[in-house]
Amino acid sequence: MERLQSSVVRTPPNSTVVQRRSKSYRQSYRSCLGAPSRLGLTPGLTARRLNSSRRALKSHVITEKVNPEHLALLVKTEWRLSYVTPLHQFRHTQLKRYSRQLSAFIAAEKQQGVAMEVEGSQSGFRVSFSVVQGLAATDDDAETVLIQIYSTPVFARQDEPQKSVWSGWLTCINGNPEYLESLPKGFTCLPLFGGSGAEVLTSLVKSWFQRTFDCCFGPLEINHTSLQWLAALWTNCHTESNLQHLKMIWTLPVVPPLQVTYTVNPQDAWELWMSVRKDRLERTEEEAEAGSIDIEEVVRFVQGLKSHFYRHFRLDLSAGNLNQVSTTLGSAKSSGKIKISNSRYMITTLTLLTECALLKMPI
Amino acid sequence: MDDSARRLLQRIMRRIPAQMLKPTLDKWGRLTAAQRQSMDFTESKWALTEKLLAICEENEMTVKHITELEMIHVIENPDHCMWYALQLMDPEEDVHSVELTQFKEQFKSHLRELIRHVSIKIKKHTDEAVWIRIAWGDSFSRPNHLKPTYVVHHLQTPYVFVTSLTSKLKPLLSQALVLSTRYQAIKDASLSGRKLTAIRDLLMRQYQQVFPTKYPSPLAENDQNASNILINKEQAELAASRHQKACEAFGDGMLPQLQSAVYKLETKFRDHTNKTMTEREEAFRCVVKFASTNLLESLRHCASSGIASTPGTSLLSSIPLKGRNYFVITDNSPGPSSQTRQPSN
């Protein structure tokens, strides 16, 4: 969990805050999934960390529902992800006040001597909070909040467009409904945070959120299961949008480290994926299952790719770490960076990431 | 000193690192003692460049002299451009009688016949390598010294290494090389990299090779760590045999520092668990790139640690075996273990 040293007197330290919250929660996220105990480690859960099956990637045409400017910003940037615990007393109606407060906070920190790498040491910052309407998938999801920080140079002309030096968003897409309903009143759950821009501004924004809404931020890595899901989900879309390639990057733990970039022709990858799906669809005869994808299929797909590799090079890629998956639809890195290049698949990708964030939260 | 010479000198000064300036200029030897004294090497590079420009004006130097300086620098530091290996094929009977002066004259005259405006500089380096710097012009314009091609040829071997060469000029250079070295053809050796020393060592097998032996015990003495005695006892023999096989496949000791290898695979997908794909007629197309700061050492470590099994027969051992780092693998091409390279003599 991230904490910033600050000379301002703070509200009670973290541990008691967590304590208080866990008493008031009626149900923790893990208990929703049927874990035996809330207190101890739940090793049995790791076999089912993520949803073992999910609805197939439907391309949601969200361009009509969402403000095109917001969409353009979301699509062209690579975001660094974190998870966020639920926010206390966050109101979507108070965004103007939050903008002013955050601006003041950043100015105060700068006054205290926190170094800002942003160009133009004379410039101030203007913060803007806005709601991105149209992304929320269910009624339980809170609306996505977009934060942008513009630099206001001291000698700016009236008509000069302000340069955006940092952007970030908080979102919850298709969050687990049981968990969301179990939250006590007064808490808003926006578990997924993405930021792009100077690192010092990211930490300032997080620090402000932490003190204003009593929440915690933490780094969200994308583990190899999620990366495999993304590889399969994106490959599934090849007929609708040309992938151009399916690229995976592994790192093998030798000295010096060996990086393997495995780029597959999209048509061939798609045929392999379809062959894996066909086997499974033949076995289950239910129609309702046809729309959803199982983790087994994903694993078999990636296993097929690995065994083709092994046949030629006698190197088992499982010995290494999957670091990155990218196609023209987007790219995901295990360090927690995501880029969604096509707005049609934003909802489904964000659903997967929301799930990861909810699972990583330490409650 | 004309404009192009000035620009060339400025570019060379930008490229040479500050600590190498004095030795390179001394080696060049075109400054008088007084001029050398007047260069204060503690000043900024920009100031030194201006001073050097003034000295060259004083000495009335031409582009020809400046290119000498560039060549000295490139010979000392060949690792900042991409090098591509070529191999000469089908030697004629008198290939062994080609010696340096003959090669120089023949190469210059052949290349000048093929292209009118070209500037050639040939220098023999200490380690039997002949370095050639070529600035290309065409029928209308003078040679462009800002985009030279460097060629390195080791006499008595069929290998040639070249830097930046456009596809238009490649046939001209190839023709000149073939005629002056008494071979009949030249082909691309599918080996490229930034470190000239690495690709040269790989191609000419100038690194420590290990040959298959029946008794692996001589290598068992290279022991790593004696942490747990019992585990070591169990694993010692296996580890030694893996290490031996890894060294047979990739070499021992210091290996040439190759940075990447690319395999373009166009083979059919064969997996007994997946019937549909195995029955598919078309090839499964993919491209695999291996990258590391020292690729051969990473691969050797993969083999000795067990991540790679049977290193001797995999495609990866083709890199040192065939001295290439670009491969196109199809179902028809022969397997990696059935083809060995002819040793060069």
Side-chain angles (χ1 to χ4, degrees):
Chain A
M1 295 183 215
E2 294 173 24
R3 294 179 51 95
L4 270 191
Q5 294 303 321
S6 165
S7 57
V8 175
V9 172
R10 293 208 55 191
T11 45
N14 230 8
S15 50
T16 41
V17 168
V18 169
Q19 206 99 27
R20 188 178 71 212
R21 202 173 309 135
S22 67
K23 281 187 196 138
S24 59
Y25 277 158
R26 252 165 277 133
Q27 264 183 308
S28 76
Y29 188 67
R30 292 198 182 125
S31 67
C32 292
L33 298 179
S37 153
R38 231 187 295 160
L39 300 171
L41 293 174
T42 51
L45 196 57
T46 39
R48 278 193 57 206
R49 292 283 309 180
L50 294 178
N51 271 349
S52 63
S53 95
R54 58 185 70 245
R55 295 220 60 81
L57 212 69
K58 285 196 299 249
S59 79
H60 301 250
V61 183
I62 57 176
T63 44
E64 286 137 30
K65 293 197 280 170
V66 184
N67 179 338
E69 266 178 38
H70 288 160
L71 209 56
L73 178 66
L74 289 173
V75 159
K76 71 176 175 164
T77 327
E78 187 179 53
W79 304 100
R80 238 170 296 128
L81 296 172
S82 309
Y83 66 80
V84 193
T85 54
L87 307 168
H88 183 61
Q89 304 285 351
F90 180 88
R91 304 260 173 276
H92 282 88
T93 47
Q94 299 277 332
L95 294 182
K96 269 212 162 47
R97 200 170 68 130
Y98 298 151
S99 310
R100 282 199 300 271
Q101 285 181 351
L102 183 52
S103 298
F105 178 72
I106 294 178
E109 290 291 310
K110 195 168 154 200
Q111 194 82 4
Q112 284 185 351
V114 174
M116 308 257 168
E117 308 144 2
V118 189
E119 57 187 65
S121 51
Q122 299 297 323
S123 60
F125 295 102
R126 179 178 79 84
V127 179
S128 146
F129 276 68
S130 45
V131 173
V132 182
Q133 294 200 320
L135 274 184
T138 66
D139 289 330
D140 286 326
D141 289 340
E143 291 283 357
T144 304
V145 176
L146 178 68
I147 308 155
Q148 283 178 286
I149 303 185
Y150 301 92
S151 83
T152 56
V154 176
F155 302 108
R157 295 196 312 261
Q158 278 287 40
D159 50 347
E160 218 176 273
Q162 296 197 317
K163 208 167 72 113
S164 166
V165 291
W166 188 91
S167 349
W169 42 262
L170 288 134
T171 188
C172 178
I173 311 275
N174 276 315
N176 185 308
E178 288 174 13
Y179 176 70
L180 292 177
E181 273 157 29
S182 76
L183 288 178
K185 282 179 92 87
F187 281 95
T188 313
C189 184
L190 287 166
L192 187 63
F193 169 83
S196 150
E199 188 54 44
V200 69
L201 285 174
T202 311
S203 48
L204 282 178
V205 170
K206 286 183 183 175
S207 153
W208 180 80
F209 265 91
Q210 281 174 150
R211 44 172 87 199
T212 318
F213 303 112
D214 234 0
C215 60
C216 292
F217 281 75
L220 182 66
E221 287 98 22
I222 306 179
N223 70 357
H224 82 284
T225 313
S226 312
L227 286 174
Q228 288 180 349
W229 266 112
L230 286 171
L233 291 172
W234 282 333
T235 308
N236 198 36
C237 308
H238 177 58
T239 40
E240 284 180 3
S241 353
N242 184 3
L243 284 180
Q244 285 192 12
H245 55 242
L246 172 65
K247 184 160 87 152
M248 292 165 284
I249 301 185
W250 266 274
T251 315
L252 289 169
V254 287
V255 174
L258 180 64
Q259 190 188 64
V260 180
T261 309
Y262 188 2
T263 312
V264 186
N265 176 292
Q267 185 62 29
D268 298 337
W270 185 79
E271 286 190 28
L272 175 62
W273 171 243
M274 281 295 129
S275 71
V276 168
R277 293 224 71 202
K278 190 181 83 144
D279 280 350
R280 188 210 157 225
L281 288 173
E282 275 169 4
R283 277 187 268 133
T284 63
E285 282 107 23
E286 294 181 28
E287 279 299 319
E289 297 280 314
S292 70
I293 300 176
D294 239 12
I295 182 82
E296 283 169 15
E297 294 169 286
V298 173
V299 168
R300 282 188 61 202
F301 172 62
V302 178
Q303 192 55 43
L305 293 171
K306 284 193 213 167
S307 65
H308 183 73
F309 183 93
Y310 183 79
R311 200 165 69 83
H312 292 90
F313 299 105
R314 302 262 169 244
L315 264 182
D316 193 358
L317 285 171
S318 315
N321 303 310
L322 179 55
N323 285 129
Q324 184 177 339
V325 172
S326 59
T327 64
T328 47
L329 295 178
S331 80
K333 297 186 188 154
S334 64
S335 53
K337 299 200 182 137
I338 185 89
K339 181 171 178 181
I340 306 171
S341 313
N342 189 325
S343 62
R344 287 163 85 181
Y345 304 103
M346 188 167 294
I347 302 278
T348 334
T349 314
L350 287 177
T351 308
L352 176 68
L353 295 171
T354 307
E355 231 179 87
C356 292
L358 282 171
L359 272 164
K360 194 147 188 242
M361 285 201 306
I363 307 287
Chain B
M1 209 164 81
D2 65 351
D3 203 32
S4 64
R6 206 170 294 128
R7 268 193 301 157
L8 184 62
L9 185 62
Q10 281 169 336
R11 217 174 69 144
I12 295 169
M13 288 295 285
R14 270 201 300 272
R15 284 231 208 115
I16 302 179
Q19 61 266 35
M20 295 292 298
L21 268 178
K22 188 166 186 314
T24 313
L25 286 173
D26 288 343
K27 213 179 238 178
W28 190 33
R30 289 225 175 244
L31 306 177
T32 65
Q35 286 167 339
R36 265 180 292 159
Q37 295 279 10
S38 71
M39 298 269 290
D40 178 11
F41 288 98
T42 57
E43 284 178 25
S44 73
K45 220 197 244 186
W46 183 85
L48 283 170
T49 309
E50 295 292 307
K51 187 159 275 163
L52 192 60
L53 274 169
I55 294 177
C56 292
E57 292 271 10
E58 213 181 288
N59 292 1
E60 290 180 11
M61 293 208 205
T62 62
V63 159
K64 194 159 155 307
H65 304 123
I66 313 288
T67 56
E68 280 173 11
L69 181 63
E70 187 193 82
M71 204 158 170
I72 292 172
H73 170 64
V74 172
I75 293 179
E76 292 291 309
N77 303 289
D79 294 341
H80 62 269
C81 29
M82 270 304 268
W83 291 89
Y84 302 90
L86 305 171
Q87 185 168 354
L88 296 157
M89 315 279 295
D90 306 325
E92 310 243 352
E93 290 90 33
D94 50 350
V95 70
H96 294 294
S97 65
V98 174
E99 43 85 44
L100 181 65
T101 32
Q102 185 187 359
F103 170 72
K104 275 164 80 162
E105 282 167 20
Q106 293 259 321
F107 181 79
K108 282 188 183 168
S109 70
H110 283 302
L111 196 59
R112 290 217 170 97
E113 269 174 45
L114 292 167
I115 175 167
R116 195 128 66 108
H117 286 132
V118 68
S119 160
I120 309 171
K121 209 177 212 51
I122 303 187
K123 192 166 168 174
K124 182 159 181 300
H125 196 52
T126 44
D127 61 347
E128 300 305 315
V130 181
W131 281 73
I132 309 173
R133 180 185 188 277
I134 307 172
W136 305 91
D138 56 24
S139 341
F140 307 108
S141 60
R142 303 189 53 209
N144 181 356
H145 280 281
L146 293 173
K147 287 202 170 99
T149 302
Y150 278 90
V151 179
V152 180
H153 174 50
H154 290 255
L155 288 174
Q156 306 301 328
T157 70
Y159 303 115
V160 182
F161 304 97
V162 296
T163 63
S164 49
L165 190 61
T166 62
S167 48
K168 205 172 57 131
L169 300 167
K170 194 164 177 193
L172 304 177
L173 178 64
S174 309
Q175 179 80 335
L177 280 169
V178 161
L179 290 171
S180 49
T181 52
R182 309 298 289 147
Y183 279 83
Q184 286 182 33
I186 189 169
K187 74 164 176 125
D188 180 21
S190 297
L191 176 63
S192 63
R194 261 183 198 272
K195 291 193 185 283
L196 177 64
T197 40
I199 61 177
R200 183 199 63 201
D201 288 343
L202 187 70
L203 208 48
M204 307 211 285
R205 297 212 169 202
Q206 282 168 2
Y207 57 95
Q208 217 170 328
Q209 289 164 65
V210 173
F211 299 99
T213 70
K214 203 164 165 202
Y215 305 102
S217 44
L219 275 180
E221 288 170 35
N222 307 344
D223 198 16
Q224 287 84 11
N225 45 10
S227 47
N228 187 324
I229 306 177
L230 295 173
I231 294 178
N232 271 8
K233 248 176 123 174
E234 262 183 44
Q235 296 292 323
E237 208 179 296
L238 284 171
S241 125
R242 277 201 305 260
H243 185 73
Q244 166 75 7
K245 290 211 174 66
C247 289
E248 280 171 27
F250 297 106
D252 198 10
M254 289 279 286
L255 294 175
Q257 269 192 311
L258 208 57
Q259 273 108 12
S260 67
V262 174
Y263 290 81
K264 203 164 156 204
L265 299 178
E266 284 165 10
T267 50
K268 292 216 282 207
F269 192 95
R270 249 181 276 279
D271 187 357
H272 61 93
T273 59
N274 191 330
K275 233 170 62 114
T276 327
M277 284 304 281
T278 314
E279 286 166 7
R280 193 166 165 257
E281 280 301 318
E282 299 92 23
F284 191 79
R285 291 157 287 175
C286 50
V287 175
V288 179
K289 177 171 172 189
F290 294 91
S292 163
T293 48
N294 188 336
L295 181 67
L296 291 176
E297 208 169 298
S298 297
L299 293 176
R300 184 176 64 185
H301 195 198
C302 283
S304 61
S305 61
I307 296 177
S309 42
T310 64
T313 53
S314 94
L315 284 177
L316 294 170
S317 58
S318 300
I319 301 174
L321 202 65
K322 297 193 183 170
R324 302 168 56 159
N325 67 354
Y326 176 76
F327 299 85
V328 176
I329 312 284
T330 60
D331 281 319
N332 304 324
S333 58
S337 53
S338 61
Q339 222 187 49
T340 50
R341 214 152 41 100
Q342 299 292 340
S344 57
N345 48 352

